[in-house]
Amino acid sequence: MPYPPPPRSASGPRRRTLLASAAGAALLVGCSSGSDDSDGGTSGSPSVAERARARAAGDSEGLVERYDAVLAAHPVLTELLGPLRAAAVRHLEAFGGGRKASDSASPSGSPASSASPSPSGSPSAAVPLDERAALAELSAAERALADRRAKALLDVPGELARLLASVAAAGAAHAYLLNEGAK
C-alpha cells in the first residue's frame, strides 16, 4: 500500500526558522571562537578582547550619560528610566569601566543631584524638550548600541562574546520598553 503524498506546503524553511538558525549560529560561532580572552594580541598591544571590552565600557558610559541628561531634563521620567539607567550602570561595570557612573547614582537608580556635563559639552543640551521625543531618542540609542554589540560578539572570544550577547539582548529589551513608554 503506497503512502499518500504529503500535503502541499511552501518548499524550504520558513522565515522564522532561518532567522532563528542564523542567530543561533552567530551565537555559537561567537561563543566558541578562541580559547581565552587574551587571544589575538601581540606583546605590548591590547588584544582584540581588551579593545572590545574597552569600547563596550565606553559605549555603556555614554549611554549612562544620556540617561542622566534625560533624567535631568525630565525628572518626571525617573520611575521609568531609573531601573533602565541602573542596568546600564551594571553593564558598564561588567565591562570593567565606570566607577564614576556608579558613584553618581543614588540608591533609587536615579542620578545624583549633580548631573555634570561630559567633556565634549553639556549632554542635557541635546535632550529634546518633549518627553516622548526624549524617550524615542533614548530608545534609538539603546537599539543602535544593541545592534553594534550583536555584530561585535562575532569577533571576540568566549566569555566576552557571551557578555556582549547578554548585554545586547538587554539593550534590545530596553529599547522596546522605552519605545512603549514613548507611546
Side-chain angles (χ1 to χ4, degrees):
M1 175 163 136
Y3 289 109
R8 184 77 176 144
S9 63
S11 62
R14 295 182 184 266
R15 187 178 326 155
R16 279 189 213 152
T17 305
L18 286 174
L19 290 174
S21 299
L27 284 175
L28 287 175
V29 169
C31 291
S32 62
S33 67
S35 59
D36 64 65
D37 286 343
S38 63
D39 288 346
T42 60
S43 62
S45 68
S47 71
V48 171
E50 290 168 346
R51 287 190 309 267
R53 187 177 292 274
R55 185 171 38 256
D59 288 344
S60 289
E61 189 167 6
L63 191 59
V64 169
E65 289 173 0
R66 279 185 175 212
Y67 274 105
D68 288 345
V70 171
L71 284 166
H74 303 288
V76 72
L77 296 174
T78 300
E79 186 176 332
L80 173 65
L81 298 183
L84 300 177
R85 182 202 180 272
V89 169
R90 286 191 301 273
H91 298 160
L92 172 60
E93 291 169 350
F95 289 120
R99 306 299 169 229
K100 175 180 72 174
S102 61
D103 292 342
S104 70
S106 67
S108 67
S110 63
S113 60
S114 63
S116 60
S118 68
S120 63
S122 174
S124 60
V127 175
L129 295 176
D130 180 46
E131 292 171 7
R132 287 182 177 187
L135 289 174
E137 189 176 273
L138 261 177
S139 176
E142 283 273 16
R143 171 66 62 197
L145 185 53
D147 291 345
R148 280 198 314 271
R149 285 178 171 160
K151 289 177 187 171
L153 71 87
L154 297 174
D155 299 327
V156 296
E159 279 304 309
L160 184 55
R162 286 185 278 281
L163 179 59
L164 278 171
S166 175
V167 174
H174 292 177
Y176 172 78
L177 292 171
L178 289 165
N179 200 29
E180 289 298 306
K183 288 183 179 178

